[in-house]
Amino acid sequence: MTSLPLGIHVGERLSLEQTYWQAQVADENGFESVWVAEGRLSRDGIVPAAIIASRTENVKIGTGVLNNKSRNAALMAVTFKTLDEVAPGRAILGIGAWWEPLATKVGQPISKPIKAMREYIGVCQALFRNENVEFEGEFVQMRGVRFDSMYRENKPVDIPIYIGAVGPKMLELAGEISDGVHMDFLLPPSYMEGALAAIDRGLAKRTDGRTSIDLTQIVSCSVNDDDPQEAIDACKAFLTLYLCQQPHIAEHCGVERELVDRLQEIAGWPATPEQIKKAMQLVPNELVQNVTACGTTDQAFEKLVSYHEAGVRCPIISTLGDKERTLTRLAQAARA
């Protein structure tokens, strides 16, 4: 195990070859978990997660995150039951409320996200307990549904559920009903104070006697000891893209609305690489280094430690820039 608990986040910015390589590096270097992203209409999350599960031995495999709209809750539950067959005891269901405007673009606009998440997770948990589920909700309906294999015993499966949460209401729900929180990119360590308070409000409502849940957070990382600015620029481009396309994150990472408006004037939807390169010139280094781990290896690792000290039990590395160098250097630093 590493001296600092770490996970790795793999998503569509990586090729599949890079994805599997990073997962194997994580497995071989004592990382706790690999989280497979699914957001844009670029790549499914389940297929790579299953392949990673078959190619690794110890690391946990989480989805970081799937959405609660595009897969029926019963299908989601049986999918993770299957993943648990591939990698017993290593599967984690990370689930979020999706994001706009993509949800609306595919005919699944986000409405009452807290209620929808509560219904969806409640049904998944009941199915994981091997119960016969009868549920008539606003968003989820189940009529006498359970695991029903004819050829092997139907029994409960232990699949932790982590909610991809950022806002206080979803964080509170996570504290009340889930096993953990998988927080998004681009939040400063200082954000944890309010996040932990929201989670604690939810924990106070629990009826199962549990007094704590896990907390992980994706942290964008880029390392270059010879040219730290190059590493900072890799994170700067990503932050700029995020602010243009998911501007709701701005209020959480301390970005003024005026800057977001100026960035969006330059970079449209979808933004081109040229637009991002032009827009990122407006974003100061200080802002980038407040919400990412970038620069030299020591600077990046110290930032990961600061997240841990702020309350993130396990920071989840998401590599930018030279991805191989970034992961290798941070893995070495974690073992030191």
Short mmCIF file of all heavy atoms in Angstrom, two decimals, residues 76-140:
data_model
loop_
_atom_site.label_atom_id
_atom_site.label_comp_id
_atom_site.label_asym_id
_atom_site.label_seq_id
_atom_site.Cartn_x
_atom_site.Cartn_y
_atom_site.Cartn_z
N MET A 76 -29.11 -1.85 -13.76
CA MET A 76 -27.91 -1.40 -13.07
C MET A 76 -27.51 -2.38 -11.98
O MET A 76 -26.33 -2.74 -11.83
CB MET A 76 -28.13 -0.01 -12.48
CG MET A 76 -26.89 0.59 -11.85
SD MET A 76 -25.68 1.15 -13.08
CE MET A 76 -26.33 2.80 -13.43
N ALA A 77 -28.49 -2.82 -11.20
CA ALA A 77 -28.18 -3.75 -10.10
C ALA A 77 -27.62 -5.07 -10.62
O ALA A 77 -26.64 -5.59 -10.09
CB ALA A 77 -29.44 -3.99 -9.27
N VAL A 78 -28.21 -5.62 -11.66
CA VAL A 78 -27.73 -6.90 -12.16
C VAL A 78 -26.39 -6.74 -12.88
O VAL A 78 -25.55 -7.66 -12.89
CB VAL A 78 -28.78 -7.59 -13.06
CG1 VAL A 78 -28.78 -7.05 -14.47
CG2 VAL A 78 -28.58 -9.10 -13.07
N THR A 79 -26.14 -5.56 -13.45
CA THR A 79 -24.83 -5.28 -14.05
C THR A 79 -23.74 -5.36 -12.99
O THR A 79 -22.68 -5.97 -13.21
CB THR A 79 -24.83 -3.89 -14.71
OG1 THR A 79 -25.77 -3.87 -15.78
CG2 THR A 79 -23.45 -3.53 -15.25
N PHE A 80 -23.98 -4.77 -11.83
CA PHE A 80 -22.96 -4.80 -10.79
C PHE A 80 -22.90 -6.15 -10.08
O PHE A 80 -21.83 -6.55 -9.59
CB PHE A 80 -23.15 -3.63 -9.82
CG PHE A 80 -22.52 -2.38 -10.35
CD1 PHE A 80 -23.15 -1.63 -11.33
CD2 PHE A 80 -21.25 -2.00 -9.95
CE1 PHE A 80 -22.55 -0.50 -11.87
CE2 PHE A 80 -20.64 -0.88 -10.48
CZ PHE A 80 -21.28 -0.13 -11.45
N LYS A 81 -23.99 -6.87 -10.06
CA LYS A 81 -23.94 -8.26 -9.59
C LYS A 81 -23.01 -9.06 -10.50
O LYS A 81 -22.21 -9.88 -10.04
CB LYS A 81 -25.34 -8.86 -9.59
CG LYS A 81 -25.42 -10.33 -9.19
CD LYS A 81 -26.87 -10.80 -9.22
CE LYS A 81 -26.98 -12.27 -8.82
NZ LYS A 81 -26.36 -13.17 -9.80
N THR A 82 -23.08 -8.80 -11.80
CA THR A 82 -22.22 -9.49 -12.76
C THR A 82 -20.77 -9.06 -12.59
O THR A 82 -19.85 -9.89 -12.63
CB THR A 82 -22.69 -9.19 -14.20
OG1 THR A 82 -24.08 -9.48 -14.32
CG2 THR A 82 -21.92 -10.02 -15.21
N LEU A 83 -20.53 -7.76 -12.41
CA LEU A 83 -19.17 -7.28 -12.20
C LEU A 83 -18.57 -7.90 -10.94
O LEU A 83 -17.37 -8.21 -10.89
CB LEU A 83 -19.16 -5.76 -12.11
CG LEU A 83 -17.80 -5.06 -12.17
CD1 LEU A 83 -17.05 -5.40 -13.44
CD2 LEU A 83 -17.97 -3.55 -12.03
N ASP A 84 -19.40 -8.12 -9.94
CA ASP A 84 -18.92 -8.78 -8.72
C ASP A 84 -18.54 -10.24 -8.98
O ASP A 84 -17.67 -10.78 -8.29
CB ASP A 84 -20.01 -8.70 -7.64
CG ASP A 84 -19.54 -9.24 -6.31
OD1 ASP A 84 -18.66 -8.62 -5.69
OD2 ASP A 84 -20.04 -10.32 -5.89
N GLU A 85 -19.16 -10.86 -9.96
CA GLU A 85 -18.74 -12.21 -10.34
C GLU A 85 -17.36 -12.19 -10.98
O GLU A 85 -16.56 -13.11 -10.80
CB GLU A 85 -19.75 -12.83 -11.32
CG GLU A 85 -21.09 -13.21 -10.73
CD GLU A 85 -21.95 -13.95 -11.75
OE1 GLU A 85 -21.54 -15.03 -12.20
OE2 GLU A 85 -23.03 -13.42 -12.11
N VAL A 86 -17.08 -11.14 -11.76
CA VAL A 86 -15.79 -11.02 -12.42
C VAL A 86 -14.68 -10.71 -11.40
O VAL A 86 -13.58 -11.27 -11.46
CB VAL A 86 -15.83 -9.91 -13.50
CG1 VAL A 86 -14.46 -9.77 -14.18
CG2 VAL A 86 -16.90 -10.21 -14.53
N ALA A 87 -14.97 -9.84 -10.45
CA ALA A 87 -13.98 -9.40 -9.45
C ALA A 87 -14.66 -9.38 -8.08
O ALA A 87 -15.08 -8.33 -7.60
CB ALA A 87 -13.45 -8.02 -9.80
N PRO A 88 -14.80 -10.53 -7.45
CA PRO A 88 -15.55 -10.62 -6.19
C PRO A 88 -15.05 -9.65 -5.12
O PRO A 88 -13.86 -9.57 -4.84
CB PRO A 88 -15.33 -12.07 -5.76
CG PRO A 88 -15.06 -12.81 -7.03
CD PRO A 88 -14.28 -11.85 -7.87
N GLY A 89 -15.99 -8.88 -4.60
CA GLY A 89 -15.68 -7.96 -3.52
C GLY A 89 -14.97 -6.69 -3.94
O GLY A 89 -14.57 -5.89 -3.08
N ARG A 90 -14.81 -6.47 -5.24
CA ARG A 90 -14.03 -5.30 -5.69
C ARG A 90 -14.86 -4.26 -6.44
O ARG A 90 -14.33 -3.22 -6.82
CB ARG A 90 -12.86 -5.76 -6.57
CG ARG A 90 -11.83 -6.59 -5.82
CD ARG A 90 -10.51 -6.66 -6.58
NE ARG A 90 -10.56 -7.57 -7.73
CZ ARG A 90 -10.03 -7.31 -8.91
NH1 ARG A 90 -9.45 -6.14 -9.16
NH2 ARG A 90 -10.08 -8.20 -9.89
N ALA A 91 -16.13 -4.51 -6.67
CA ALA A 91 -16.94 -3.58 -7.47
C ALA A 91 -17.57 -2.51 -6.59
O ALA A 91 -18.06 -2.78 -5.49
CB ALA A 91 -18.03 -4.35 -8.21
N ILE A 92 -17.56 -1.27 -7.09
CA ILE A 92 -18.21 -0.13 -6.43
C ILE A 92 -19.10 0.56 -7.45
O ILE A 92 -18.65 0.91 -8.54
CB ILE A 92 -17.19 0.88 -5.89
CG1 ILE A 92 -16.23 0.24 -4.89
CG2 ILE A 92 -17.90 2.07 -5.26
CD1 ILE A 92 -15.07 1.15 -4.50
N LEU A 93 -20.36 0.77 -7.11
CA LEU A 93 -21.27 1.52 -7.97
C LEU A 93 -21.18 2.99 -7.61
O LEU A 93 -21.67 3.43 -6.57
CB LEU A 93 -22.70 1.01 -7.80
CG LEU A 93 -23.82 1.84 -8.43
CD1 LEU A 93 -23.56 2.15 -9.91
CD2 LEU A 93 -25.18 1.16 -8.26
N GLY A 94 -20.53 3.76 -8.48
CA GLY A 94 -20.51 5.21 -8.34
C GLY A 94 -21.54 5.80 -9.28
O GLY A 94 -21.54 5.52 -10.48
N ILE A 95 -22.46 6.59 -8.73
CA ILE A 95 -23.60 7.05 -9.52
C ILE A 95 -23.88 8.52 -9.26
O ILE A 95 -23.76 9.00 -8.13
CB ILE A 95 -24.84 6.17 -9.22
CG1 ILE A 95 -25.98 6.49 -10.17
CG2 ILE A 95 -25.27 6.30 -7.76
CD1 ILE A 95 -27.04 5.42 -10.21
N GLY A 96 -24.21 9.25 -10.34
CA GLY A 96 -24.51 10.67 -10.23
C GLY A 96 -25.78 11.03 -10.97
O GLY A 96 -26.45 10.18 -11.55
N ALA A 97 -26.11 12.31 -10.94
CA ALA A 97 -27.37 12.80 -11.52
C ALA A 97 -27.23 13.26 -12.96
O ALA A 97 -28.12 13.89 -13.49
CB ALA A 97 -27.93 13.93 -10.66
N TRP A 98 -26.10 12.96 -13.62
CA TRP A 98 -25.82 13.39 -14.97
C TRP A 98 -25.65 14.90 -15.01
O TRP A 98 -25.50 15.55 -13.96
CB TRP A 98 -26.89 12.90 -15.94
CG TRP A 98 -26.31 12.38 -17.24
CD1 TRP A 98 -25.00 12.34 -17.60
CD2 TRP A 98 -27.04 11.79 -18.32
NE1 TRP A 98 -24.86 11.77 -18.84
CE2 TRP A 98 -26.10 11.42 -19.30
CE3 TRP A 98 -28.38 11.54 -18.55
CZ2 TRP A 98 -26.47 10.83 -20.50
CZ3 TRP A 98 -28.75 10.95 -19.75
CH2 TRP A 98 -27.81 10.58 -20.71
N TRP A 99 -25.63 15.49 -16.17
CA TRP A 99 -25.38 16.92 -16.26
C TRP A 99 -26.06 17.48 -17.51
O TRP A 99 -26.34 16.77 -18.46
CB TRP A 99 -23.88 17.22 -16.25
CG TRP A 99 -23.03 16.44 -17.22
CD1 TRP A 99 -22.61 15.16 -17.08
CD2 TRP A 99 -22.51 16.89 -18.47
NE1 TRP A 99 -21.85 14.78 -18.17
CE2 TRP A 99 -21.76 15.82 -19.03
CE3 TRP A 99 -22.58 18.10 -19.18
CZ2 TRP A 99 -21.10 15.92 -20.25
CZ3 TRP A 99 -21.91 18.20 -20.39
CH2 TRP A 99 -21.18 17.11 -20.91
N GLU A 100 -26.33 18.76 -17.41
CA GLU A 100 -26.94 19.49 -18.52
C GLU A 100 -25.86 20.26 -19.29
O GLU A 100 -24.85 20.64 -18.71
CB GLU A 100 -28.00 20.47 -17.99
CG GLU A 100 -29.21 19.82 -17.35
CD GLU A 100 -30.12 19.12 -18.34
OE1 GLU A 100 -29.75 18.99 -19.54
OE2 GLU A 100 -31.19 18.67 -17.91
N PRO A 101 -26.07 20.44 -20.61
CA PRO A 101 -27.31 20.18 -21.35
C PRO A 101 -27.42 18.77 -21.92
O PRO A 101 -28.39 18.46 -22.62
CB PRO A 101 -27.25 21.21 -22.49
CG PRO A 101 -25.78 21.31 -22.79
CD PRO A 101 -25.09 21.19 -21.45
N LEU A 102 -26.46 17.89 -21.64
CA LEU A 102 -26.49 16.57 -22.27
C LEU A 102 -27.75 15.81 -21.92
O LEU A 102 -28.36 15.17 -22.79
CB LEU A 102 -25.25 15.76 -21.87
CG LEU A 102 -25.14 14.36 -22.48
CD1 LEU A 102 -25.18 14.42 -24.01
CD2 LEU A 102 -23.88 13.66 -22.01
N ALA A 103 -28.18 15.85 -20.65
CA ALA A 103 -29.36 15.09 -20.25
C ALA A 103 -30.58 15.50 -21.08
O ALA A 103 -31.35 14.64 -21.56
CB ALA A 103 -29.63 15.28 -18.76
N THR A 104 -30.75 16.80 -21.27
CA THR A 104 -31.88 17.28 -22.07
C THR A 104 -31.71 16.92 -23.54
O THR A 104 -32.67 16.57 -24.22
CB THR A 104 -32.03 18.79 -21.89
OG1 THR A 104 -32.42 19.07 -20.53
CG2 THR A 104 -33.09 19.35 -22.84
N LYS A 105 -30.48 16.99 -24.03
CA LYS A 105 -30.22 16.70 -25.44
C LYS A 105 -30.63 15.26 -25.80
O LYS A 105 -31.00 14.99 -26.95
CB LYS A 105 -28.74 16.91 -25.76
CG LYS A 105 -28.32 18.36 -25.90
CD LYS A 105 -26.81 18.47 -26.09
CE LYS A 105 -26.36 19.89 -26.34
NZ LYS A 105 -26.63 20.37 -27.70
N VAL A 106 -30.57 14.33 -24.85
CA VAL A 106 -30.94 12.95 -25.14
C VAL A 106 -32.32 12.59 -24.58
O VAL A 106 -32.68 11.42 -24.47
CB VAL A 106 -29.88 11.95 -24.62
CG1 VAL A 106 -28.54 12.21 -25.29
CG2 VAL A 106 -29.74 12.00 -23.10
N GLY A 107 -33.11 13.62 -24.26
CA GLY A 107 -34.48 13.38 -23.85
C GLY A 107 -34.67 12.95 -22.42
O GLY A 107 -35.72 12.41 -22.06
N GLN A 108 -33.66 13.20 -21.56
CA GLN A 108 -33.76 12.83 -20.15
C GLN A 108 -33.41 14.03 -19.26
O GLN A 108 -32.46 13.99 -18.50
CB GLN A 108 -32.79 11.66 -19.85
CG GLN A 108 -33.08 10.38 -20.58
CD GLN A 108 -34.25 9.64 -19.99
OE1 GLN A 108 -34.60 9.82 -18.83
NE2 GLN A 108 -34.89 8.80 -20.79
N PRO A 109 -34.18 15.11 -19.37
CA PRO A 109 -33.85 16.31 -18.60
C PRO A 109 -33.82 16.04 -17.10
O PRO A 109 -34.61 15.24 -16.59
CB PRO A 109 -34.96 17.30 -18.98
CG PRO A 109 -36.09 16.44 -19.46
CD PRO A 109 -35.44 15.27 -20.12
N ILE A 110 -32.91 16.70 -16.42
CA ILE A 110 -32.78 16.51 -14.98
C ILE A 110 -33.93 17.23 -14.28
O ILE A 110 -34.16 18.42 -14.48
CB ILE A 110 -31.42 17.04 -14.49
CG1 ILE A 110 -30.30 16.19 -15.09
CG2 ILE A 110 -31.35 17.02 -12.97
CD1 ILE A 110 -28.91 16.70 -14.79
N SER A 111 -34.64 16.49 -13.44
CA SER A 111 -35.76 17.02 -12.68
C SER A 111 -35.75 16.36 -11.31
O SER A 111 -35.59 15.15 -11.19
CB SER A 111 -37.08 16.71 -13.40
OG SER A 111 -38.19 17.06 -12.61
N LYS A 112 -35.88 17.17 -10.26
CA LYS A 112 -35.89 16.68 -8.88
C LYS A 112 -34.76 15.66 -8.65
O LYS A 112 -35.01 14.50 -8.29
CB LYS A 112 -37.25 16.04 -8.55
CG LYS A 112 -38.43 16.97 -8.72
CD LYS A 112 -39.73 16.27 -8.36
CE LYS A 112 -40.93 17.15 -8.58
NZ LYS A 112 -42.22 16.45 -8.31
N PRO A 113 -33.52 16.08 -8.84
CA PRO A 113 -32.41 15.12 -8.78
C PRO A 113 -32.26 14.41 -7.44
O PRO A 113 -31.85 13.25 -7.39
CB PRO A 113 -31.18 15.98 -9.09
CG PRO A 113 -31.60 17.38 -8.81
CD PRO A 113 -33.05 17.45 -9.14
N ILE A 114 -32.60 15.07 -6.34
CA ILE A 114 -32.46 14.43 -5.02
C ILE A 114 -33.48 13.30 -4.89
O ILE A 114 -33.14 12.17 -4.48
CB ILE A 114 -32.64 15.46 -3.89
CG1 ILE A 114 -31.70 16.64 -4.07
CG2 ILE A 114 -32.46 14.79 -2.54
CD1 ILE A 114 -30.23 16.29 -4.09
N LYS A 115 -34.72 13.57 -5.25
CA LYS A 115 -35.75 12.54 -5.15
C LYS A 115 -35.46 11.38 -6.09
O LYS A 115 -35.60 10.21 -5.72
CB LYS A 115 -37.12 13.15 -5.47
CG LYS A 115 -38.27 12.16 -5.27
CD LYS A 115 -39.62 12.83 -5.50
CE LYS A 115 -40.75 11.84 -5.18
NZ LYS A 115 -42.09 12.47 -5.39
N ALA A 116 -35.03 11.70 -7.31
CA ALA A 116 -34.73 10.65 -8.28
C ALA A 116 -33.60 9.76 -7.77
O ALA A 116 -33.64 8.53 -7.90
CB ALA A 116 -34.36 11.27 -9.62
N MET A 117 -32.57 10.38 -7.18
CA MET A 117 -31.44 9.60 -6.67
C MET A 117 -31.87 8.74 -5.49
O MET A 117 -31.46 7.56 -5.38
CB MET A 117 -30.31 10.54 -6.25
CG MET A 117 -29.03 9.82 -5.84
SD MET A 117 -28.24 8.96 -7.21
CE MET A 117 -27.52 10.34 -8.09
N ARG A 118 -32.67 9.27 -4.60
CA ARG A 118 -33.14 8.49 -3.45
C ARG A 118 -33.91 7.24 -3.91
O ARG A 118 -33.68 6.14 -3.40
CB ARG A 118 -34.02 9.37 -2.55
CG ARG A 118 -34.51 8.64 -1.29
CD ARG A 118 -35.48 9.51 -0.50
NE ARG A 118 -34.83 10.68 0.05
CZ ARG A 118 -34.17 10.69 1.21
NH1 ARG A 118 -34.06 9.57 1.91
NH2 ARG A 118 -33.63 11.81 1.65
N GLU A 119 -34.80 7.43 -4.87
CA GLU A 119 -35.57 6.28 -5.36
C GLU A 119 -34.67 5.24 -6.01
O GLU A 119 -34.78 4.04 -5.75
CB GLU A 119 -36.62 6.77 -6.36
CG GLU A 119 -37.73 7.60 -5.74
CD GLU A 119 -38.78 8.02 -6.76
OE1 GLU A 119 -38.69 7.61 -7.94
OE2 GLU A 119 -39.71 8.76 -6.37
N TYR A 120 -33.79 5.71 -6.86
CA TYR A 120 -32.94 4.81 -7.64
C TYR A 120 -32.02 3.99 -6.74
O TYR A 120 -31.92 2.76 -6.86
CB TYR A 120 -32.12 5.64 -8.62
CG TYR A 120 -31.48 4.86 -9.75
CD1 TYR A 120 -32.08 4.82 -11.00
CD2 TYR A 120 -30.28 4.19 -9.57
CE1 TYR A 120 -31.49 4.13 -12.06
CE2 TYR A 120 -29.68 3.49 -10.61
CZ TYR A 120 -30.30 3.46 -11.85
OH TYR A 120 -29.72 2.77 -12.89
N ILE A 121 -31.37 4.67 -5.81
CA ILE A 121 -30.45 3.96 -4.91
C ILE A 121 -31.20 3.01 -3.99
O ILE A 121 -30.75 1.88 -3.73
CB ILE A 121 -29.60 4.97 -4.12
CG1 ILE A 121 -28.58 5.62 -5.05
CG2 ILE A 121 -28.89 4.29 -2.94
CD1 ILE A 121 -27.69 6.65 -4.38
N GLY A 122 -32.36 3.42 -3.51
CA GLY A 122 -33.14 2.54 -2.64
C GLY A 122 -33.48 1.22 -3.32
O GLY A 122 -33.40 0.14 -2.71
N VAL A 123 -33.84 1.29 -4.59
CA VAL A 123 -34.18 0.07 -5.33
C VAL A 123 -32.92 -0.77 -5.56
O VAL A 123 -32.95 -1.99 -5.39
CB VAL A 123 -34.86 0.44 -6.67
CG1 VAL A 123 -34.88 -0.74 -7.62
CG2 VAL A 123 -36.28 0.93 -6.40
N CYS A 124 -31.83 -0.15 -5.94
CA CYS A 124 -30.58 -0.91 -6.14
C CYS A 124 -30.17 -1.61 -4.85
O CYS A 124 -29.77 -2.79 -4.87
CB CYS A 124 -29.47 0.02 -6.61
SG CYS A 124 -29.60 0.54 -8.34
N GLN A 125 -30.25 -0.91 -3.74
CA GLN A 125 -29.86 -1.52 -2.47
C GLN A 125 -30.76 -2.70 -2.12
O GLN A 125 -30.28 -3.74 -1.62
CB GLN A 125 -29.89 -0.47 -1.35
CG GLN A 125 -28.78 0.56 -1.47
CD GLN A 125 -28.93 1.72 -0.49
OE1 GLN A 125 -30.05 2.10 -0.14
NE2 GLN A 125 -27.81 2.29 -0.06
N ALA A 126 -32.05 -2.58 -2.38
CA ALA A 126 -32.96 -3.69 -2.09
C ALA A 126 -32.64 -4.90 -2.98
O ALA A 126 -32.67 -6.05 -2.51
CB ALA A 126 -34.41 -3.24 -2.30
N LEU A 127 -32.35 -4.66 -4.23
CA LEU A 127 -31.97 -5.75 -5.12
C LEU A 127 -30.66 -6.39 -4.68
O LEU A 127 -30.53 -7.63 -4.68
CB LEU A 127 -31.87 -5.25 -6.56
CG LEU A 127 -33.22 -4.95 -7.23
CD1 LEU A 127 -33.02 -4.10 -8.48
CD2 LEU A 127 -33.96 -6.23 -7.57
N PHE A 128 -29.68 -5.58 -4.28
CA PHE A 128 -28.42 -6.13 -3.79
C PHE A 128 -28.64 -6.99 -2.54
O PHE A 128 -27.89 -7.94 -2.30
CB PHE A 128 -27.42 -5.01 -3.47
CG PHE A 128 -26.89 -4.29 -4.68
CD1 PHE A 128 -26.47 -2.95 -4.57
CD2 PHE A 128 -26.79 -4.91 -5.91
CE1 PHE A 128 -25.97 -2.28 -5.68
CE2 PHE A 128 -26.29 -4.24 -7.02
CZ PHE A 128 -25.89 -2.92 -6.90
N ARG A 129 -29.68 -6.67 -1.75
CA ARG A 129 -30.00 -7.49 -0.57
C ARG A 129 -30.76 -8.76 -0.95
O ARG A 129 -31.14 -9.54 -0.10
CB ARG A 129 -30.83 -6.67 0.42
CG ARG A 129 -30.07 -5.53 1.09
CD ARG A 129 -30.85 -4.95 2.27
NE ARG A 129 -32.12 -4.33 1.85
CZ ARG A 129 -32.27 -3.05 1.59
NH1 ARG A 129 -31.23 -2.21 1.66
NH2 ARG A 129 -33.45 -2.56 1.23
N ASN A 130 -30.97 -8.95 -2.26
CA ASN A 130 -31.69 -10.12 -2.78
C ASN A 130 -33.16 -10.12 -2.35
O ASN A 130 -33.76 -11.18 -2.14
CB ASN A 130 -31.01 -11.43 -2.34
CG ASN A 130 -31.43 -12.61 -3.20
OD1 ASN A 130 -31.63 -12.47 -4.41
ND2 ASN A 130 -31.57 -13.78 -2.59
N GLU A 131 -33.74 -8.94 -2.26
CA GLU A 131 -35.15 -8.82 -1.90
C GLU A 131 -36.03 -8.82 -3.13
O GLU A 131 -35.58 -8.52 -4.24
CB GLU A 131 -35.37 -7.52 -1.10
CG GLU A 131 -34.66 -7.50 0.24
CD GLU A 131 -34.82 -6.16 0.95
OE1 GLU A 131 -35.53 -5.27 0.41
OE2 GLU A 131 -34.22 -5.99 2.04
N ASN A 132 -37.29 -9.14 -2.94
CA ASN A 132 -38.30 -8.96 -3.96
C ASN A 132 -38.80 -7.52 -3.86
O ASN A 132 -39.31 -7.11 -2.82
CB ASN A 132 -39.46 -9.93 -3.74
CG ASN A 132 -40.46 -9.90 -4.86
OD1 ASN A 132 -40.17 -10.28 -5.99
ND2 ASN A 132 -41.67 -9.43 -4.55
N VAL A 133 -38.63 -6.75 -4.93
CA VAL A 133 -38.84 -5.31 -4.84
C VAL A 133 -40.17 -4.90 -5.45
O VAL A 133 -40.45 -5.16 -6.62
CB VAL A 133 -37.69 -4.54 -5.55
CG1 VAL A 133 -37.88 -3.04 -5.39
CG2 VAL A 133 -36.34 -4.96 -4.98
N GLU A 134 -40.98 -4.27 -4.64
CA GLU A 134 -42.21 -3.60 -5.07
C GLU A 134 -42.04 -2.13 -4.75
O GLU A 134 -41.89 -1.75 -3.59
CB GLU A 134 -43.42 -4.15 -4.31
CG GLU A 134 -43.76 -5.59 -4.60
CD GLU A 134 -44.57 -5.76 -5.89
OE1 GLU A 134 -44.93 -4.72 -6.49
OE2 GLU A 134 -44.84 -6.90 -6.27
N PHE A 135 -42.02 -1.28 -5.79
CA PHE A 135 -41.78 0.13 -5.54
C PHE A 135 -42.48 0.97 -6.59
O PHE A 135 -42.33 0.72 -7.79
CB PHE A 135 -40.28 0.44 -5.56
CG PHE A 135 -39.93 1.84 -5.14
CD1 PHE A 135 -39.83 2.18 -3.81
CD2 PHE A 135 -39.70 2.82 -6.10
CE1 PHE A 135 -39.51 3.48 -3.42
CE2 PHE A 135 -39.38 4.12 -5.74
CZ PHE A 135 -39.29 4.45 -4.39
N GLU A 136 -43.26 1.93 -6.15
CA GLU A 136 -43.94 2.85 -7.06
C GLU A 136 -43.51 4.27 -6.73
O GLU A 136 -44.09 4.94 -5.90
CB GLU A 136 -45.46 2.71 -6.92
CG GLU A 136 -46.03 1.42 -7.46
CD GLU A 136 -45.89 1.28 -8.97
OE1 GLU A 136 -45.94 2.33 -9.67
OE2 GLU A 136 -45.72 0.15 -9.45
N GLY A 137 -42.47 4.72 -7.39
CA GLY A 137 -41.97 6.06 -7.16
C GLY A 137 -42.30 6.97 -8.33
O GLY A 137 -42.89 6.56 -9.33
N GLU A 138 -41.90 8.22 -8.21
CA GLU A 138 -42.12 9.16 -9.30
C GLU A 138 -41.19 8.87 -10.47
O GLU A 138 -41.56 9.04 -11.63
CB GLU A 138 -41.90 10.58 -8.79
CG GLU A 138 -42.15 11.66 -9.84
CD GLU A 138 -42.04 13.06 -9.28
OE1 GLU A 138 -41.96 13.23 -8.04
OE2 GLU A 138 -42.01 14.00 -10.10
N PHE A 139 -39.99 8.39 -10.16
CA PHE A 139 -38.98 8.15 -11.19
C PHE A 139 -38.68 6.67 -11.41
O PHE A 139 -38.20 6.29 -12.48
CB PHE A 139 -37.68 8.88 -10.83
CG PHE A 139 -37.83 10.37 -10.76
CD1 PHE A 139 -38.13 11.01 -9.55
CD2 PHE A 139 -37.70 11.15 -11.89
CE1 PHE A 139 -38.27 12.38 -9.49
CE2 PHE A 139 -37.84 12.52 -11.85
CZ PHE A 139 -38.14 13.15 -10.64
N VAL A 140 -38.90 5.85 -10.42
CA VAL A 140 -38.57 4.42 -10.49
C VAL A 140 -39.79 3.60 -10.09
O VAL A 140 -40.42 3.88 -9.06
CB VAL A 140 -37.38 4.08 -9.57
CG1 VAL A 140 -37.02 2.61 -9.70
CG2 VAL A 140 -36.17 4.97 -9.88
#
